[in-house]
Amino acid sequence: MWQDNETTQDLLGYQVHADLLKKIILNDAMLPISIGVFGNWGSGKSSLMLLLQQSLKEWEKSPLNEHHKMILQIYFNSWQFESYDSTKLTMIESILEAINKDINKRKDVFERADDFLKRIDFLKAGVFILKKAYDNLTPDWLKKWLPTKEDLDKITDNDNYQNLLDDVTKGNTSKFIATFRELFEKLVDDIGYKAVIVYVDDLDRCDPKRIIGCLEAVKLFVNVNKTAFIIGADERIIEYAISQHYPIPMKKEDISSPFSDYLEKLIQLPYKLPRLSDNEQETYITLLLCKNHLTNIHFNEVHQKYLEFRKTDKHSKYNIDDIKANVPQNKNIDFHAVEYRLPTVPLIKRFLNGNPRQLKRFLNTLYVRQELAEVAGFTDILPEVLTKLMVLEYNTLYNSRFEELYKLQNANGGVLPLDDVEQEAKTENGIQNPQWKDNWSSDYLRQWLSSDPSLKNINLQNYFWVARDALKNEKPIASLVTNKVMLLFRRLCTLQANVTMKRDLPGIINTCDDSEKDMIIRLINDSLKKDPKSENCWRILNCDENNLLICDKIDRLKLLFNNIKTDSIDTKADVFFARMLPLNDEIHNYIETLPKGNPLKNAIERKMRK
């Protein structure tokens, strides 16, 4: 199996991104700088930052560092924020503490180590006082520890240090910030760092207020000469946090979002990680299989050859043929276990979204089920057949079809009654078989049915047995949606007025791809299951005047009403139903079949007559 965490072992070809960011940071003229490493959940932001850290460490020790300049790299854990009020200061304390530790570790390098350490202590004291409100909350034991005038006289630029403490004790925050920046910048310069680099990871998992606090800490306090801040996040979550904290009204004539403009002021260089191409996905999956099924020594040889290949070719896939061609024959590496699982790759590329974390999690589940099959004595389980069933299970919109297939094969002795359905799915006329036509005619499901391997005449009982954890129990909603979508849905629910919802909803939904829109529909469905009259849900659906959520997709509409007591929906839903009915015959017929109470029926009829 594969660990679901960041790594410095580059299987994604991200070293080129790390090399570019390293080049920017090592250019003195580019500092100070704040860089946003933007990407969706699981896209590899943390791994990229680790690769960058490693590259900078190697540069520091290399002959390229002619003047033996020091680079201090600090990892800041976003989860350690105590509260919004102290977010900025907690971050600054962490940076000062990291510098303190670095000086203590390399005391023999510094001629003025004691002086530097004292100056850090005074900066920390100033921050602490500001954080705890000196007059009321600072304990007596700490007051005795704080610097005296005599202590300050021992430090260079003592007037500035005295001013820092005077400003903070008087509550003069703006002067404190200006003085702090000046003292901090001089400290970094006097120590002799080429750069101080702060990595802020998982910022998009924090509360919006804490996100803003962190970004403002960077801008206000410590974004000074010789510093670089690398911030890993989903750009859309940061924009959401900004919109929550600074409710800037957006005018119709605005070309760009005011939230994007504000983000540009906080993040000087946005660096967006691209989605993996088909070739990159195939390479990544193949390398993951090699990592799992080869010895460490053999995999390290394979990986090194891959890195050498990527230096000269950034586009082509590096598949099993390339791997075997680059391994010396005398190594006698057994690739049988890898090649046995390679037929799964086309299915994974075609039906998953190319997200590295999702790919890894999918492969882990596949691996566990194959191991379960082996323990259970099922020798006929083919990984590609199991994969074909699993990609359906993993689809947010169509995972209910997985349960449907289970019931179908169970009623037919383990074999699906496919007849010519797989062939019909490939034709222009589509599926004609009445048992499959209604529920399996979407483009996605036709592609799934027509893809290799064929499921015709395959007994699927053992396949569903090893996947029984996915059957008969609804998956927790949190496992089906990303954190980003959850936050966007919450934002929609906070828009209490129709006029506000109609204004803001398009911008929110347009940040989502199709799979994320499916997730929002699933969240609405989950709320309507609990309360078919949910005002929040019907406000969202009624105000979606351009059908951005449903998009004329019958399967998305069916997901919306799945297991909903539609006869309990009241008249507040009439706008949505009246807008759906004229879209097309298929949607019209489906809406007509839904049980509805008489008040809602009458309200829809009145709305349609207008």
Side-chain angles (χ1 to χ4, degrees):
M1 293 180 67
W2 301 267
Q3 290 184 325
D4 185 20
N5 53 24
E6 63 273 7
T7 177
T8 56
Q9 197 167 51
D10 183 22
L11 307 186
L12 293 166
Y14 277 8
Q15 187 62 52
V16 64
H17 302 302
D19 289 343
L20 174 58
L21 295 180
K22 178 182 74 173
K23 185 176 181 180
I24 292 169
I25 290 168
L26 293 177
N27 183 349
D28 295 339
M30 293 298 295
L31 302 183
I33 192 169
S34 53
I35 301 172
V37 176
F38 294 142
N40 290 343
W41 168 90
S43 58
K45 300 182 293 292
S46 299
S47 293
L48 171 56
M49 287 194 276
L50 281 181
L51 287 171
L52 176 58
Q53 280 183 273
Q54 181 175 269
S55 294
L56 286 166
K57 285 178 184 177
E58 291 171 357
W59 178 88
E60 193 177 4
K61 297 174 183 177
S62 75
L64 295 172
N65 185 7
E66 298 176 0
H67 303 291
H68 306 290
K69 290 284 188 178
M70 295 175 295
I71 294 177
L72 176 60
Q73 301 191 75
I74 304 166
Y75 177 81
F76 184 63
N77 183 353
S78 303
W79 294 100
Q80 72 186 48
F81 298 158
E82 296 171 14
S83 68
Y84 170 62
D85 292 334
S86 65
T87 293
K88 303 180 182 71
L89 303 173
T90 302
M91 184 178 190
I92 295 164
E93 286 177 328
S94 300
I95 293 169
L96 292 172
E97 185 59 34
I99 296 175
N100 189 308
K101 287 181 180 178
D102 189 56
I103 292 172
N104 275 304
K105 185 175 70 175
R106 299 196 271 198
K107 260 191 172 183
D108 54 328
V109 177
F110 300 108
E111 295 180 2
R112 300 164 55 193
D114 291 337
D115 172 50
F116 297 148
L117 292 171
K118 286 180 181 177
R119 288 158 68 179
I120 292 170
D121 284 340
F122 286 123
L123 288 175
K124 288 165 68 178
V127 172
F128 187 90
I129 300 169
L130 187 63
K131 187 176 178 182
K132 298 297 183 182
Y134 176 77
D135 289 333
N136 298 318
L137 300 179
T138 306
D140 289 337
W141 66 266
L142 184 61
K143 291 179 183 178
K144 295 176 183 178
W145 173 83
L146 291 174
T148 64
K149 180 67 169 65
E150 290 72 26
D151 293 327
L152 289 168
D153 287 339
K154 298 175 185 178
I155 297 180
T156 57
D157 298 327
N158 56 70
D159 286 343
N160 282 332
Y161 281 84
Q162 183 64 63
N163 291 338
L164 177 74
L165 296 184
D166 286 345
D167 289 337
V168 72
T169 53
K170 293 174 183 175
N172 196 332
T173 306
S174 60
K175 282 191 176 181
F176 171 82
I177 292 172
T179 306
F180 183 94
R181 284 174 61 89
E182 181 183 342
L183 293 172
F184 180 74
E185 184 171 37
K186 191 167 190 331
L187 174 66
V188 170
D189 191 54
D190 288 349
I191 291 173
Y193 288 125
K194 179 175 178 61
V196 174
I197 303 160
V198 182
Y199 299 89
V200 183
D201 199 8
D202 286 335
L203 188 61
D204 48 11
R205 296 188 181 187
C206 296
D207 179 89
K209 289 184 177 180
R210 295 177 180 181
I211 292 174
I212 296 300
C214 176
L215 293 174
E216 290 185 340
V218 172
K219 205 67 181 174
L220 290 174
F221 285 88
V222 283
N223 187 218
V224 300
N225 191 32
K226 295 188 176 182
T227 63
F229 286 80
I230 318 296
I231 299 165
D234 185 323
E235 180 182 16
R236 294 165 292 184
I237 294 298
I238 304 301
E239 285 196 26
Y240 166 70
I242 294 169
S243 70
Q244 289 292 97
H245 195 64
Y246 298 106
I248 310 166
M250 187 171 180
K251 302 173 184 177
K252 288 185 178 180
E253 61 268 22
D254 287 344
I255 297 174
S256 61
S257 162
F259 312 125
S260 299
D261 295 341
Y262 186 82
L263 179 60
E264 287 178 7
K265 294 177 182 177
L266 295 174
I267 305 293
Q268 294 161 291
L269 176 63
Y271 194 82
K272 299 182 181 181
L273 289 179
R275 179 182 175 183
L276 297 184
S277 67
D278 281 357
N279 284 342
E280 288 169 330
Q281 288 183 62
E282 180 169 347
T283 300
Y284 180 56
I285 297 167
T286 305
L287 289 173
L288 284 175
L289 292 173
C290 288
K291 183 176 175 63
N292 198 52
H293 295 288
L294 303 183
T295 65
N296 287 338
I297 293 175
H298 287 161
F299 177 71
N300 288 337
E301 291 176 357
V302 167
H303 184 242
Q304 189 56 44
K305 293 291 184 182
Y306 161 71
L307 294 178
E308 292 171 8
F309 169 82
R310 271 289 172 255
K311 288 178 181 178
T312 58
D313 189 331
K314 301 293 188 291
H315 307 287
S316 304
K317 60 186 174 185
Y318 192 74
N319 60 20
I320 191 65
D321 294 330
D322 300 307
I323 290 172
K324 293 169 76 172
N326 283 312
V327 172
Q329 292 184 353
N330 61 350
K331 292 294 182 180
N332 294 321
I333 301 177
D334 183 5
F335 288 101
H336 173 74
V338 176
E339 292 177 301
Y340 176 67
R341 291 165 175 82
L342 285 179
T344 66
V345 175
L347 286 162
I348 294 173
K349 285 197 310 181
R350 189 173 185 181
F351 293 107
L352 297 184
N353 66 9
N355 180 288
R357 181 174 293 159
Q358 189 191 46
L359 292 176
K360 192 181 288 187
R361 288 186 175 185
F362 182 91
L363 288 170
N364 275 334
T365 304
L366 178 64
Y367 176 84
V368 167
R369 290 180 179 177
Q370 286 183 277
E371 289 293 298
L372 177 61
E374 185 176 327
V375 171
F378 298 153
T379 58
D380 58 344
I381 294 285
L382 295 174
E384 59 267 36
V385 173
L386 185 55
T387 298
K388 183 168 182 176
L389 293 171
M390 282 179 58
V391 294
L392 194 61
E393 172 196 344
Y394 266 64
N395 185 281
T396 305
L397 184 57
Y398 294 114
N399 62 3
S400 62
R401 301 297 195 280
F402 184 75
E403 183 89 27
E404 188 177 325
L405 289 182
Y406 166 72
K407 293 174 181 177
L408 270 175
Q409 63 85 31
N410 200 39
N412 290 274
V415 179
L416 293 174
L418 285 166
D419 297 326
D420 295 324
V421 170
E422 291 176 331
Q423 291 302 315
E424 290 176 353
K426 298 178 183 179
T427 66
E428 187 176 336
N429 293 328
I431 299 170
Q432 301 301 314
N433 187 308
Q435 190 172 7
W436 295 82
K437 185 175 182 178
D438 288 342
N439 282 345
W440 292 82
S441 291
S442 72
D443 289 342
Y444 177 92
L445 293 173
R446 286 173 60 185
Q447 287 180 39
W448 183 85
L449 282 167
S450 61
S451 64
D452 291 328
S454 168
L455 299 182
K456 190 173 182 179
N457 299 325
I458 293 181
N459 191 309
L460 297 175
Q461 287 179 315
N462 291 343
Y463 289 94
F464 280 100
W465 187 90
V466 298
R468 66 193 187 281
D469 59 304
L471 295 167
K472 299 182 181 178
N473 292 306
E474 287 196 23
K475 289 177 178 285
I477 195 71
S479 69
L480 297 171
V481 301
T482 63
N483 184 56
K484 172 215 161 183
V485 171
M486 192 72 76
L487 285 173
L488 292 180
F489 179 67
R490 288 175 187 166
R491 179 181 171 192
L492 285 171
C493 291
T494 63
L495 304 177
Q496 296 297 307
N498 284 350
V499 64
T500 308
M501 180 69 76
K502 289 178 182 179
R503 182 195 68 203
D504 293 356
L505 181 142
I508 296 171
I509 301 303
N510 284 332
T511 66
C512 300
D513 59 27
D514 275 350
S515 65
E516 290 167 334
K517 290 176 184 177
D518 294 339
M519 293 176 194
I520 290 178
I521 292 296
R522 186 168 286 280
L523 286 169
I524 295 175
N525 168 261
D526 188 61
S527 295
L528 291 175
K529 282 179 186 175
K530 300 168 187 172
D531 178 15
K533 301 177 182 180
S534 168
E535 290 190 13
N536 282 333
C537 291
W538 290 114
R539 186 181 301 110
I540 293 169
L541 293 168
N542 286 342
C543 293
D544 183 16
E545 296 176 313
N546 297 314
N547 295 329
L548 298 175
L549 278 171
I550 299 299
C551 300
D552 301 354
K553 293 187 176 181
I554 183 65
D555 291 304
R556 202 172 278 170
L557 192 64
K558 289 179 178 178
L559 173 61
L560 174 66
F561 289 112
N562 183 45
N563 290 328
I564 301 297
K565 294 179 179 178
T566 54
D567 53 357
S568 298
I569 298 172
D570 62 20
T571 57
K572 66 171 66 77
D574 61 344
V575 175
F576 174 76
F577 280 98
R579 195 175 65 246
M580 289 293 106
L581 284 168
L583 289 181
N584 58 55
D585 290 342
E586 191 175 24
I587 287 178
H588 183 280
N589 294 336
Y590 175 72
I591 292 289
E592 288 293 316
T593 63
L594 293 174
K596 293 180 281 292
N598 287 329
L600 177 58
K601 286 181 181 178
N602 295 334
I604 295 171
E605 289 176 4
R606 287 194 298 270
K607 189 69 67 175
M608 292 293 291
R609 286 197 296 265
K610 288 183 179 180

